[in-house]
């Protein structure tokens, strides 16, 4: 029997084992686990007011996301910030793999005391993964983590989901890949607050990044920014040499300063909580429909109705009422 108060107290004290266990419950499909999580989160009355930073890191595989998270995370952690790293990876549900599963590029970060790294769940549709990640963010914050870095693989599916749970969205791009920039979907560009041309290892490499930067700038000029308080910026950096990383840190700090000062961050989080609620209702109802179809001889009844000559629209209407009744 789960004691929500005891678990909540352990979480607040920063117990990482309890944090891991809670995230596993959030990822679980079992109703008892979901109920446990609901009871624990119900005890949290912070209402999103903690001064945390939720930052999405996106980009195609190979652009250097893990290396970048390692570099940025270490910088923040060395300044005594508590840093959590989570991932949303829709492809993992297809491949059975997981980004961040191999933490070798984050070995340095992973070794630090004030850092928590959680690979993406390896099962579940994107909706389920998204719901679990939203909850995981809140759990990390209860446990005292101040910066939450959320890695998403840049294949187009997960970016919107991740931007619906973060304050700031960073997209990494290869500095010498003009084609990548042209191929970047407008939708993803519109979510992005900070574009980083990555693997610019030194001053000399900034020259090579010139054309990509120009191309990006002209694309940004015609975009509607994601936030009214922020015009998207372009930075150049290297996670392996550290070139440009001071600037990256400054940009992040400036973004959060403006976001809080203008109230944009608080407003955004409020909107996200409404969307979270809506998504959750859809998920719960969809789950109930699945359950209805796998139980109560529903499929047999549909077949019978069809044999009786009933129209699918009528059958569907009746079944919907049944789902509501069984709820
Ligand atoms: P991810 O798939 O986006 O997570 O990319 P990884 O972090 O696994 O990095 C892919 C490759 O790029 C690895 O071989 C890294 O060592 C390399 N890499 C990452 N960051 C940099 C960088 O700043 N400069 C250079 N030259 N290579 C980098």
């Amino acid at each position: 029997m789960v004691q929500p108060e005891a678990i909540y107290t352990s979480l607040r004290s920063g117990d990482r084992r309890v944090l891991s266990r809670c995230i596993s419950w959030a990822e679980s499909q079992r109703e008892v686990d979901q109920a446990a999580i609901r009871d624990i989160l119900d005890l949290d009355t912070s209402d999103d007011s903690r001064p945390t930073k939720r930052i999405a890191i996106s980009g195609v595989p190979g652009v250097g996301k893990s290396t970048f998270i390692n570099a940025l995370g270490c910088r923040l952690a060395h300044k005594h910030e508590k840093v959590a790293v989570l991932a949303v990876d829709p492809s993992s549900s297809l491949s059975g793999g997981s980004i961040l599963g191999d933490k070798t590029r984050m070995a340095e970060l992973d070794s630090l005391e004030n850092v928590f790294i959680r690979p993406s769940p390896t099962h579940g549709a994107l909706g389920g993964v998204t719901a679990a990640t939203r909850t995981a963010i809140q759990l990390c914050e209860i446990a005292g983590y101040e910066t939450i870095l959320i890695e998403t693989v840049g294949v187009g599916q997960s970016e919107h989901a991740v931007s619906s749970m973060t304050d700031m969205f960073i997209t990494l791009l290869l500095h010498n890949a003009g084609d990548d920039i042209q191929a970047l979907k407008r939708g993803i560009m519109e979510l992005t607050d900070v574009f980083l041309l990555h693997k610019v290892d030194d001053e000399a490499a900034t020259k090579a990044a010139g054309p990509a930067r120009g191309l990006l700038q002209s694309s940004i000029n015609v975009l509607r920014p994601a936030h009214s308080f922020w015009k998207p910026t372009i930075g150049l950096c290297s996670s392996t040499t550290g070139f440009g990383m001071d600037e990256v840190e400054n940009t992040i700090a400036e973004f959060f300063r403006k976001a809080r000062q203008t109230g944009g961050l608080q407003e955004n989080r409020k909107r996200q909580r409404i969307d979270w609620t809506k998504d959750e209702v859809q998920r719960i109802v969809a789950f109930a429909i699945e359950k209805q179809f796998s139980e109560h001889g529903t499929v047999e009844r549909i077949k019978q109705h069809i044999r009786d000559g009933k129209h699918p629209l009528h059958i569907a209407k009746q079944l919907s009422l049944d789902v509501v009744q069984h709820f």
Side-chain angles (χ1 to χ4, degrees), residues 58-69 99-100 105-106 151 153 172 174-175 198-201 237-242:
S58 166
V60 294
V63 74
K65 293 179 297 298
S66 306
T67 318
F68 175 77
I69 289 173
I99 54 171
L100 291 185
R105 301 219 198 283
M106 295 194 202
E151 178 179 353
V153 66
L172 298 188
L174 286 178
H175 71 279
H198 198 218
K199 305 194 188 180
V200 178
D201 292 339
C237 71
S238 166
S239 302
T240 47
T241 65

Side-chain angles (χ1 to χ4, degrees), residues 18 69 111 116 133 169 172-173 180 197 202 215 218 274 301:
V18 171
I69 289 173
S111 69
F116 176 82
T133 309
F169 198 100
L172 298 188
L173 292 158
D180 277 5
L197 293 170
D202 50 28
L215 196 59
S218 49
I274 295 171
R301 272 177 39 230

